[in-house]
Amino acid sequence: MMNFQERVFDAHTSGGKELGNLPEWDLTDLYANPEAPELNRDMKWLEAECADFAKSYEGKLAGLDAAGLLTAVQRYEEIDIIAGRIMSYAGLRYYQITTDSERAKFMADCQDQITTFTTPLVFYGLEFNRLNDAHLDGLLAANADLARYKPVFDRMRAMKPHQLSDELEKFLHDQSTVGAAAWNRLFDETMAGLEFDVDGETLSLESTLNLLTEQDRSKRAAATHALAAVFQDNIKLFARVHNTLAKEKEIEDRWRKMPTPQTGRHLANHVEAEVVEALRNAVVAAYPRLSHRYYALKAKWLGLERMQVWDRNAPLPMETTRTVDWDEAQDTVMNAYAGFDPKMAEIAKPFFTDGWIDAAVKPGKAPGAFAHPTVSTVHPYVMLNYLGKPRDVMTLAHELGHGVHQVLAADQGELLSSTPLTLAETASVFGEMLTFRKMLDGAKTQEERKILLAGKVEDMINTVVRQIAFYDFECKLHAARAEGELTPDDINALWMSVQAESLGPVFDFAPGYETFWSYIPHFVHSPFYVYAYAFGDGLVNALYAVYEEGDADFQSKYFDMLRAGGSKHHKELLAPFGLDASDPKFWDKGLSMIEGFIDELEAMED
């Protein structure tokens, strides 16, 4: 069953100047303003409808015929849409200026009201899961419209062994705004308010992280030291947030009889634990062939015996520092999308023309980037912190890919449009790959090709190697927290235990780097989210290989996959392409694409 406060925001980081006219969100497609009569109307409707839904159905689901159950599901879906619309508006408005106390209060008040209104609905998922299997199968066989929702029911019933008593479930729902949601908000507001002194200039987190991709090595070092100093100053707070959230999760998992801390995420992603384990093992085994080999090559290009952490995302020495203005970024991505299929560019166009993107870096704005689907009756919104780096073009391509996916999946309706995180990364990473290939094809010199290839390899390492290292860190963190409270030094040590292993022997780690776990939002907002990036990258690499082989129906199959949203399991979605993610060799196919790029870079040295 859906948690109305959980709307996934996909975070990346970006980085520039003289950028042209950067777009801002127009949120009026949701609501005109916080006092809009439509918002007040929807809030009142929600309160009344939730109460009436409970009155109509609590204790009665087992007695409904197929038509009656379909009506209940459709009424629940409408509640989901209205609650999601309100929280999308409140959340997006808040993320524009997280330091604005009025916006923070408005979002918190909306959360409180909706949590109160929807508490009477907790019975629905619990009671549904108590329906006899044979009885439910009979209802689905009797009504095709009801049977369409079977994937939703399957995901709900996967939680059946882990649900608690009705009273406990209502309690957990009721107190959710002062549990994880409150700690999430504390983390977000603290991060948005941090200031970093870099050579006498006061910068935000986003602008400081951006310096890590500067050509000037001294600037990269200064930014790293500034980040480390501020993280250290706040380390007790960040350790408290992680300790509390991990403990809260451990308690709830124990009550729900979840076998591992990761189980809940796997169930939400509709992916088998052994598939994730196969992915993780394949990537870890490939560390020497991927990151270790690439960074040794990069050290040579940079003229360094040893690499420091601030060299990891450094541009190559021959790379010119240039700003990509907004119009060029838009043209690059749209041309790449249109080159794949004009339909893809057509779907992407309103993001640029209709106020669906918020691109500028502004004081108090949430860091990173995300694509938020809102609800199936409106449209997605994309947030960027666009600073004009070439990699920001890739971030635009990535988030726009999410947006296209969300637009296409919306036709499934609210309950079926939501895509598991593992598949949600498919269109975004594919959008990046299209953009990269378009830029690579346009390279005029060997040097330009080398710069593009190296940038793509680094992005793929960040998406695959780095995220699996993050996943291992989280696994260690939750396992250690189950044994007792963790000091900041304990968490620092866990962080460092995955860094050398994943990045390779060429790296030294400057004092202070051990605190860099503290700013990564996924650990706070969505435990174990991070493996979805590696899953998506591996899946897309395999998909792209099929595309390159010249499958004549590839575009139509691809759009069908995106339109499916959450209505099909990954096995069904990949079958038309002749792919199977449960085959351990599947992941090696994806990783071999990265190896191939590194092979080409090494060959350029000869």
Side-chain angles (χ1 to χ4, degrees), residues 176-390:
S176 61
T177 56
V178 293
W183 289 97
N184 285 183
R185 187 174 147 195
L186 173 65
F187 174 83
D188 290 339
E189 291 174 0
T190 301
M191 275 296 158
L194 292 182
E195 294 182 336
F196 302 83
D197 183 347
V198 185
D199 295 334
E201 188 179 0
T202 301
L203 300 175
S204 67
L205 174 63
E206 197 71 39
S207 297
T208 309
L209 289 169
N210 179 55
L211 292 176
L212 298 179
T213 58
E214 282 290 319
Q215 189 68 259
D216 184 339
R217 194 179 192 219
S218 66
K219 283 187 181 176
R220 300 197 304 269
T224 303
H225 293 314
L227 290 164
V230 174
F231 294 158
Q232 183 58 46
D233 287 345
N234 292 273
I235 200 69
K236 288 183 179 177
L237 172 62
F238 296 135
R240 171 60 45 230
V241 169
H242 282 70
N243 266 291
T244 304
L245 288 172
K247 184 61 180 176
E248 182 188 58
K249 187 177 189 315
E250 185 273 324
I251 292 168
E252 186 168 336
D253 283 353
R254 179 160 29 93
W255 276 77
R256 292 192 182 283
K257 297 181 171 57
M258 295 282 187
T260 72
Q262 299 83 1
T263 300
R265 177 62 61 202
H266 299 337
L267 287 170
N269 284 344
H270 206 41
V271 65
E272 300 77 16
E274 54 272 22
V275 171
V276 177
E277 190 65 12
L279 163 64
R280 182 261 170 206
N281 291 343
V283 173
V284 171
Y287 284 170
R289 308 196 307 274
L290 303 179
S291 47
H292 297 189
R293 186 160 65 115
Y294 173 75
Y295 288 128
L297 201 55
K298 184 169 186 176
K300 201 191 307 180
W301 296 333
L302 295 174
L304 299 171
E305 287 286 325
R306 307 283 303 155
M307 293 257 279
Q308 255 301 344
V309 287
W310 52 74
D311 300 315
R312 186 171 62 81
N313 286 323
L316 303 190
M318 72 290 288
E319 199 168 332
T320 54
T321 302
R322 78 179 191 95
T323 297
V324 182
D325 68 31
W326 181 251
D327 287 344
E328 183 184 348
Q330 178 179 336
D331 288 347
T332 300
V333 176
M334 288 292 277
N335 287 337
Y337 278 26
F340 173 71
D341 193 306
K343 191 191 308 175
M344 188 180 248
E346 191 183 315
I347 296 166
K349 187 179 178 184
F351 284 86
F352 295 99
T353 59
D354 295 1
W356 298 7
I357 299 178
D358 196 290
V361 176
K362 290 170 276 194
K365 183 176 174 180
F370 60 70
H372 178 47
T374 73
V375 288
S376 55
T377 53
V378 187
H379 58 75
Y381 284 90
V382 163
M383 193 193 86
L384 306 170
N385 276 276
Y386 190 83
L387 288 164
K389 289 287 178 79

Side-chain angles (χ1 to χ4, degrees), residues 405-444:
H405 192 176
Q406 290 158 358
V407 168
L408 287 166
D411 289 343
Q412 292 286 346
E414 191 65 20
L415 296 180
L416 284 161
S417 64
S418 180
T419 310
L421 294 177
T422 41
L423 296 169
E425 291 303 322
T426 304
S428 54
V429 179
F430 196 83
E432 276 189 81
M433 183 64 81
L434 290 172
T435 305
F436 164 70
R437 292 288 189 174
K438 186 78 174 174
M439 293 167 76
L440 194 65
D441 289 345
K444 296 177 179 65

